[in-house]
Amino acid sequence: MELEETKLTSEEIFHGVAIHLFRDEILLPNGNKGVREVVRHPGAVCVLPLTDDGEVIFVNQFRYALNKVTLEVPAGKLEKGEDPQEAALRELSEETGIEANKIIPMGALYTTPALMDEIIYMYVATELTQGEQHLDEDEFVNVVKIPLSKAVDMVMSGEIRDSKTQTMILKADKYFNK
């Protein structure tokens, strides 16, 4: 069975700072027409910093959409044309002050493929050195260290709910504890 859908028309409904919302008329595989609303996003990166002692360095930050503080790996939006690995190192340095001598690509994650085209490129950073945090003007985070093994338990118990962070913890655990 054919699964592809073909865009017939596209209308931008909202043009925001980080996202753009489009309403597309599409042709379905069966020949009927349909509508898809799609959020376009420039992409993002996340990085799990792992110390020589097996601790993960996280950030606590308030997430307005959830109205709560979440525990996450450092992450951020890609700038136009920015290399994802360079963006990961930039975000790591900005949010935690950490520089990494080694960075390991861990693949990519579709965050919400039914509604968004956002892709998050994932990395693990090792051989870390501590420097100074240099947050964006509108960014407020606290840095937290948790052993990787405990972080896995926190994912499995539902204590860590952020999808990119869950994915990174489980991937890092599998990668380093084969």
Side-chain angles (χ1 to χ4, degrees):
M1 168 187 264
E2 179 64 34
L3 299 175
E4 299 287 324
E5 298 175 349
T6 305
K7 179 173 31 175
L8 300 173
T9 64
S10 184
E11 174 190 7
E12 188 173 26
I13 297 169
F14 175 77
H15 184 90
V17 175
I19 63 167
H20 308 289
L21 176 61
F22 289 82
R23 184 184 184 275
D24 295 353
E25 184 180 13
I26 59 158
L27 182 64
L28 297 166
N30 65 3
N32 293 331
K33 291 182 179 178
V35 173
R36 298 286 184 257
E37 293 175 341
V38 180
V39 176
R40 303 282 180 205
H41 186 280
V45 295
C46 68
V47 57
L48 182 144
L50 187 64
T51 69
D52 293 340
D53 296 332
E55 290 186 309
V56 178
I57 299 168
F58 294 98
V59 293
N60 266 331
Q61 58 187 326
F62 183 78
R63 290 299 192 181
Y64 181 81
L66 298 172
N67 195 35
K68 63 174 53 180
V69 174
T70 60
L71 182 69
E72 303 177 29
V73 292
K77 183 173 65 83
L78 284 169
E79 301 299 331
K80 187 173 182 153
E82 187 176 25
D83 175 73
Q85 184 169 309
E86 289 175 17
L89 292 169
R90 173 182 51 77
E91 287 295 334
L92 177 63
S93 177
E94 284 177 8
E95 293 186 7
T96 66
I98 290 173
E99 305 293 330
N101 289 322
K102 185 174 181 185
I103 190 156
I104 305 162
M106 299 297 284
L109 170 70
Y110 297 136
T111 60
T112 315
L115 301 171
M116 295 185 74
D117 67 353
E118 180 185 27
I119 298 173
I120 297 180
Y121 300 92
M122 301 177 290
Y123 298 89
V124 171
T126 61
E127 300 177 17
L128 311 175
T129 55
Q130 186 64 56
E132 290 295 317
Q133 214 178 23
H134 43 100
L135 299 168
D136 292 337
E137 192 174 285
D138 63 348
E139 193 172 31
F140 306 91
V141 304
N142 291 327
V143 176
V144 179
K145 289 184 184 181
I146 299 171
L148 179 58
S149 59
K150 181 176 182 198
V152 170
D153 292 341
M154 292 169 74
V155 167
M156 298 310 291
S157 72
E159 197 173 342
I160 294 176
R161 298 180 72 180
D162 176 63
S163 63
K164 70 185 175 303
T165 301
Q166 288 183 348
T167 302
M168 283 306 307
I169 290 166
L170 298 178
K171 282 188 139 196
D173 184 59
K174 181 73 171 175
Y175 184 86
F176 290 102
N177 298 308
K178 295 176 186 174

